[in-house]
Amino acid sequence: MTLQSLFFFLLCAALACLSWALGKRSGALHAHLELSQDLARSQTQVTELRERLAQEHTFQSLLADSQSQAAQLESAQHQHLMQTILPINEGLKLLQTSVSSLERQQAAQIGALDQQLKWTRESEDLLRQSTQELTRTLSHAPLRGTWGEAQLRSLVESSGLIEHVHFDTQVPTAGRSKRPDMIVLLPQDKCIPVDAKVPLDAYLRAQSEDTPLHLDGEDPSDQTLTYEQLMLQHAKSLRRHVSELSRKEYWKELPHAADYVIAFVPSESILSAALHTDPSLMHDALNMNVVLASPTSLWAILRTVAFTWRQQSLSTQAQEIIQLSQELYERLQTLGKHASKVSVALNNASQSWNSFLGSFESRALVSARKLSGIHLSPEPLERVHVEAKTLTTPLSQATENLDFPAEGIS
């Protein structure tokens, strides 16, 4: 019910009460007074209702203004929000483009990685097959010796040494019963014997994981040995080989040989496995005048030998220079003596010419002018003023401070 309806209702009620009161005028005065009070109260309520109705109109107008302002504010906020979202939208589009590009690159990289892994697996398979073939090949003792000698030759040539100049192979000893694989020559007729025969049976068996390896002359019942037992057997075999090399005493059989022999082990892993199992092997080998050398250590020794040969070549050239300097010094001394003689001869010739000229002008020309009928007008002769300089310091004194060693540079 609205305020207007309520107002009309109350007004009608008041009029009804008034009519009733007038009709009942003969009624009691108390009822009339109550009706008057009710009418006053009704008028008061009508006034209040009118005020509330005016306030409601004012509130509705304010509410309409607020809704209009809210709509304008919402429209402005919407525009501001759209302006703010627009760069974010563009950034999202760029991010999506970048993500798509990265996904394509990642797919390409994954494909390349798969191909690389495939090649790696193929390479590993080829390497495994080559290793197995090499292991089977090295299971034969003659081929192992050839492989060690080939490794040794390749290493020596890569260090800068030349065959028949800095090293020789298969050189017989004095008794011709002992033959080292190589002789590394040193200056002043020295040499170092090198042996390339190393026992590899136990080591190769320990490394053959896939298929059992049967070596030459091996008992098949020994195939049950563990890896540690095979490594121990490998160290013992290498120790026996060192003892055999020590008993050969190449330094006594070969002239001017070093007092030790190099036992070349053609692989770092072969030597390190033996030394890991038997740590005292290296020290005991040195005490027996045997040097266990891997490719790395032997290459360092050979490079040192090549450096020694270069130093020897420089020393020889310096010796030749000193000899030539001494020879030049002696010849310069002889040349100085001849120069002194030439100087004396020139001075004597100058004095003789001046004496001749004086006698010719004072004696011969005077007599010649007296000859009758002869009109001579000889050209005047000039005196020669020549003084040949001599060496102020003899060559022997000028070079006496030069100290040339008689034996050259060692």
Side-chain angles (χ1 to χ4, degrees), residues 115-365:
Q115 186 67 26
Q116 191 70 26
L117 290 175
K118 181 180 177 181
W119 292 342
T120 303
R121 287 192 295 268
E122 293 177 355
S123 300
E124 289 180 354
D125 294 338
L126 292 175
L127 180 61
R128 187 180 298 106
Q129 294 176 2
S130 301
T131 304
Q132 292 177 356
E133 292 177 359
L134 178 61
T135 303
R136 294 190 186 94
T137 302
L138 294 179
S139 63
H140 303 284
L143 295 178
R144 285 202 303 272
T146 303
W147 176 65
E149 293 175 1
Q151 290 286 95
L152 178 60
R153 174 179 288 274
S154 175
L155 194 64
V156 172
E157 291 178 351
S158 66
S159 65
L161 301 180
I162 303 174
E163 188 176 4
H164 305 308
V165 177
H166 302 139
F167 71 93
D168 288 318
T169 57
Q170 299 292 337
V171 178
T173 59
R176 297 186 181 275
S177 60
K178 305 171 185 178
R179 186 187 298 269
D181 295 316
M182 181 175 291
I183 297 295
V184 179
L185 303 177
L186 299 175
Q188 300 179 359
D189 296 331
K190 302 292 183 180
C191 65
I192 301 176
V194 182
D195 185 90
K197 301 178 181 66
V198 179
L200 301 176
D201 297 346
Y203 180 82
L204 293 176
R205 282 180 51 192
Q207 301 302 320
S208 59
E209 299 177 355
D210 299 332
T211 57
L213 181 64
H214 298 279
L215 302 173
D216 295 341
E218 182 184 14
D219 188 2
S221 62
D222 294 338
Q223 294 292 331
T224 59
L225 296 177
T226 62
Y227 178 82
E228 289 75 12
Q229 292 174 343
L230 290 173
M231 286 293 100
L232 182 60
Q233 185 177 353
H234 169 60
K236 291 181 179 179
S237 300
L238 190 56
R239 181 178 284 275
R240 283 196 302 269
H241 178 67
V242 169
S243 300
E244 292 175 359
L245 283 180
S246 178
R247 286 194 296 269
K248 288 182 179 181
E249 295 182 342
Y250 285 123
W251 50 88
K252 293 183 180 180
E253 299 291 336
L254 294 171
H256 307 292
D259 57 352
Y260 61 90
V261 59
I262 296 178
F264 174 61
V265 182
S267 176
E268 302 284 345
S269 59
I270 296 174
L271 180 58
S272 62
L275 294 179
H276 179 74
T277 306
D278 188 0
S280 62
L281 178 59
M282 180 67 75
H283 183 266
D284 295 340
L286 293 176
N287 290 334
M288 290 185 287
N289 296 329
V290 177
V291 178
L292 290 172
S294 63
T296 303
S297 56
L298 181 59
W299 189 83
I301 295 173
L302 296 175
R303 290 292 295 176
T304 304
V305 172
F307 177 76
T308 304
W309 275 110
R310 289 195 297 270
Q311 293 299 111
Q312 177 66 21
S313 177
L314 293 176
S315 177
T316 303
Q317 294 177 0
Q319 181 70 24
E320 294 177 356
I321 292 173
I322 290 174
Q323 292 177 356
L324 291 175
S325 301
Q326 290 177 346
E327 183 179 355
L328 179 61
Y329 167 73
E330 294 174 356
R331 292 182 178 182
L332 286 176
Q333 279 185 332
T334 304
L335 184 62
K337 293 178 182 179
H338 292 314
S340 298
K341 292 179 181 180
V342 171
S343 177
V344 173
L346 286 175
N347 290 330
N348 292 334
S350 177
Q351 293 176 1
S352 299
W353 170 259
N354 293 333
S355 299
F356 164 75
L357 187 59
S359 178
F360 179 75
E361 290 179 347
S362 63
R363 299 287 183 177
L365 288 180

Side-chain angles (χ1 to χ4, degrees), residues 88-123:
I88 298 176
N89 190 18
E90 294 178 355
L92 289 175
K93 290 181 180 179
L94 293 176
L95 180 61
Q96 185 176 3
T97 304
S98 301
V99 169
S100 301
S101 177
L102 289 176
E103 288 178 351
R104 290 192 297 270
Q105 293 178 2
Q106 185 178 9
Q109 291 176 356
I110 291 175
L113 182 60
D114 291 338
Q115 186 67 26
Q116 191 70 26
L117 290 175
K118 181 180 177 181
W119 292 342
T120 303
R121 287 192 295 268
E122 293 177 355
S123 300

